[in-house]
């Protein structure tokens, strides 16, 4: 082993530099024996499994840097990085519900604001991890997915990523909302049973809360789940009815809640009597006014008054509890 690396103060596995060929044989036996023991211990330590663990632990590789736009909480996925100006951010505000309450209208109205960036479709970011739009400094990202409000896991997932998220819930008379929900499904499935057959068991028996069109309207129950994770101050409850009758007023409340300047005002809206719904006036650079799609303002099927009355009575205690929880009366009863 002559010529191997140094040991201690310079002695190697063989003799130190400059020793003659017979120096080891001429050395006294005790020092030679001691050197052999030390050398044996050193070489034994070099074998796998025989050195102290700390002496063989590699230095940890530096963690890959996250995109500077993401403030990630433990366990949260990292947003993909793409080229272009601005950053992809977790949404600072979410329109979490409810289906057929007016969420699409609210999103389209808010997109008029230059400081709002939002995807046009329902991205389902918190259950499918889809991409957020890129935003510039001073802009906020908004996502709309109405199913969040009734999804049991959504509040926990949202809170785990961003506990400061502002939450917008567009609510509507649950009876009217259920009929609108049914009308949408009927347009896609013409052979659907009647509204009455789906809403009640055994004719006009107990209300069937297993039917999603009915269950979504139990706002107090769904809100209970959200309040386990977010304080009430993080919520804004928007009236779906007033989005139709006074869109500028309701959108003004939303802009205040988001900390935005009131840019979207009366001048942006006109009422379309044919659709029975507000539309957006001609925007700068556009050739014509813009209304929401043909599904907005869709005629509802005729539902017998007895069915409507039974359903209204069913929802009444839930509505009153909801009013008490949020300190706001929508006047549905």
């Amino acid at each position: 082993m002559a010529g191997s690396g140094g040991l201690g103060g310079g002695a190697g596995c063989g003799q130190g530099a400059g020793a003659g060929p017979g120096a080891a044989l001429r050395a006294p036996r005790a020092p030679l024996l001691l050197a052999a023991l030390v050398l044996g211990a050193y070489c034994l330590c070099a074998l796998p499994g025989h050195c102290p663990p700390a002496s063989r632990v590699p230095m940890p590789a530096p963690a890959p840097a996250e995109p500077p736009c993401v403030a990630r909480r433990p366990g949260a996925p990292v947003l993909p990085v793409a080229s272009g100006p601005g950053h992809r951010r977790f949404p600072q505000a979410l329109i979490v519900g409810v289906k057929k309450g007016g969420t699409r209208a609210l999103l389209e109205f808010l997109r008029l604001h230059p400081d709002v960036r939002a995807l046009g479709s329902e991205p389902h970011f918190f259950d499918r991890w889809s991409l957020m739009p890129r935003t510039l400094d001073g802009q906020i990202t908004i996502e709309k997915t109405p199913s969040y409000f009734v999804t049991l896991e959504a509040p926990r997932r949202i809170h785990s990523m961003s506990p400061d998220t502002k939450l917008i819930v567009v609510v509507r008379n649950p009876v009217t909302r259920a009929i609108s929900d049914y009308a949408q499904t009927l347009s896609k499935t013409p052979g659907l049973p009647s509204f009455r057959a789906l809403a009640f068991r055994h004719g006009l028996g107990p209300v069937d809360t297993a039917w999603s069109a009915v269950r979504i309207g139990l706002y107090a129950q769904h809100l209970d789940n959200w309040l386990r994770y977010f304080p009430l101050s993080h919520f804004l409850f928007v009236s779906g009815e007033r989005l139709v009758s006074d869109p500028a007023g309701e959108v003004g409340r939303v802009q205040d809640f988001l900390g935005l300047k009131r840019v979207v005002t009366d001048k942006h809206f006109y009422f379309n009597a044919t659709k029975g719904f507000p539309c957006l006036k001609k925007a700068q650079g556009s050739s014509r006014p813009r209304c929401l799609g043909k599904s907005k303002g869709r005629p509802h099927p005729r539902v017998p008054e007895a069915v409507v009355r039974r359903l209204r009575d069913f929802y009444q205690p839930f509505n009153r509890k909801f009013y008490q929880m949020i300190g706001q009366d929508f006047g549905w009863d």
Side-chain angles (χ1 to χ4, degrees):
M1 291 188 182
S4 67
L7 173 67
C13 285
Q15 293 303 311
L25 296 177
R26 292 195 301 268
R29 290 188 176 184
L32 182 62
L33 181 60
L34 179 61
L37 291 174
V38 172
L39 177 62
Y42 174 80
C43 293
L44 181 64
C45 183
L47 296 175
H50 290 82
C51 287
S55 65
R56 298 201 323 272
V57 175
M59 291 296 291
E66 290 183 353
C69 62
V70 176
R72 187 165 69 102
R73 293 173 61 79
V78 177
L79 296 183
V81 179
S83 60
H87 304 285
R88 295 193 187 277
R89 314 173 197 268
F90 290 129
Q92 291 92 355
L94 297 173
I95 302 174
V96 298
V98 296
K99 179 184 178 185
K100 306 309 296 179
T103 58
R104 164 59 65 181
L106 178 59
L107 185 73
E108 291 301 317
F109 298 163
L110 285 174
R111 290 176 75 189
L112 294 172
H113 201 294
D115 292 336
V116 169
R117 292 283 288 131
L119 293 180
S121 59
E122 297 172 8
H124 292 268
F125 174 75
F126 288 97
D127 50 18
R128 301 177 194 170
W129 315 121
S130 61
L131 294 179
M132 286 288 104
R134 301 185 72 87
T135 58
L136 302 174
D137 290 341
Q139 292 182 317
I140 65 171
T141 305
I142 294 181
E143 183 207 333
K144 174 192 82 80
T145 302
S147 63
Y148 286 162
F149 192 62
V150 298
T151 300
L152 190 63
E153 302 84 3
R156 177 185 55 79
R157 290 174 180 170
I158 294 169
H159 185 271
S160 70
M161 291 190 196
S162 182
D164 297 323
T165 303
K166 294 184 177 182
L167 305 164
I168 302 170
V169 187
V170 187
V171 289
R172 184 183 184 187
N173 185 320
V175 178
T176 312
R177 197 223 64 81
I179 296 172
S180 180
D181 197 336
Y182 173 77
Q184 181 183 57
T185 307
L186 185 64
S187 69
K188 301 174 183 177
T189 314
L192 204 64
S194 69
F195 180 87
R196 171 178 175 169
L198 293 171
F200 300 94
R201 296 193 291 268
H202 315 301
L204 275 181
V207 173
D208 190 356
T209 56
W211 186 33
S212 64
V214 169
R215 187 175 64 254
I216 290 172
L218 303 175
Y219 304 142
Q221 290 188 359
H222 303 307
L223 182 59
D224 263 336
N225 183 41
W226 284 85
L227 293 179
R228 294 171 54 199
Y229 299 91
F230 291 94
L232 192 62
S233 59
H234 281 222
F235 291 84
L236 179 70
F237 298 92
V238 175
S239 167
E241 287 84 6
R242 286 198 292 272
L243 275 178
V244 175
S245 64
D246 181 19
E250 282 301 279
V251 174
R253 293 180 59 238
V254 177
Q255 291 173 96
D256 293 345
F257 176 68
L258 297 176
L260 299 171
K261 182 180 178 182
R262 284 202 177 196
V263 172
V264 184
T265 62
D266 280 326
K267 68 181 181 182
H268 291 94
F269 301 97
Y270 77 95
F271 190 80
N272 185 311
T274 302
K275 292 181 71 69
F277 210 82
C279 295
L280 302 174
K281 291 181 180 179
K282 183 174 65 174
Q284 186 176 3
S286 175
S287 60
R288 59 181 179 177
R290 180 162 61 93
C291 287
L292 299 179
K294 62 181 181 179
S295 65
K296 306 305 175 184
R298 178 194 289 118
H300 289 178
R302 184 183 176 279
V303 177
E305 180 57 32
V307 172
V308 173
R309 188 167 53 249
R310 282 285 311 278
L311 207 52
R312 187 186 303 124
D313 292 343
F314 165 78
Y315 278 121
Q316 189 176 67
F318 296 99
N319 292 341
R320 289 179 177 173
K321 181 181 179 183
F322 183 59
Y323 299 161
Q324 292 172 355
M325 292 172 73
I326 68 173
Q328 188 175 346
D329 189 333
F330 291 96
W332 296 324
D333 301 323

